[in-house]
Amino acid sequence: MQSFRAAWRQCAGQLVAVAAFSCAINLLYLVSPLYLTQVYSRVVTSGSVDTLLMLTGVTMGALLALAGLHAARASILVDVGLRCCLACQPR
């Protein structure tokens, strides 16, 4: 049990990073509804192709960032899980 607690303390920094990534991911999930809202309120009413292209570009960038954060968070969680698993194994 002590080895698990030591491994848990050792991974505290990574878990803080996971929490920060999770907050950012949750905020980035708002990109799609905001995009649709902006398209319907600005692009459809004005017919501006430039506005549509700009909104689409920003949305694509945000969705790529979302994918990157997901991958980074998954990698960190796999590392934390491996450390905890190794700490719980009998020696």
Side-chain angles (χ1 to χ4, degrees):
M1 189 64 163
Q2 291 296 337
S3 60
F4 180 75
R5 286 186 182 156
W8 192 255
R9 273 189 235 111
Q10 194 177 35
C11 297
Q14 289 178 316
L15 293 174
V16 169
V18 166
F21 285 176
S22 295
C23 288
I25 286 168
N26 286 331
L27 287 175
L28 286 171
Y29 273 131
L30 295 173
V31 167
S32 182
L34 288 174
Y35 172 76
L36 291 174
T37 301
Q38 292 300 312
V39 166
Y40 286 126
S41 69
R42 294 180 188 270
V43 176
V44 172
T45 57
S46 69
S48 175
V49 176
D50 292 336
T51 305
L52 177 63
L53 292 175
M54 185 60 72
L55 284 172
T56 303
V58 169
T59 301
M60 293 297 285
L63 291 176
L64 286 173
L66 176 66
L69 285 174
H70 265 295
R73 183 178 68 168
S75 175
I76 292 171
L77 285 173
V78 166
D79 184 49
V80 169
L82 182 61
R83 284 186 189 192
C84 290
C85 182
L86 291 175
C88 290
Q89 288 182 348
R91 295 179 187 227

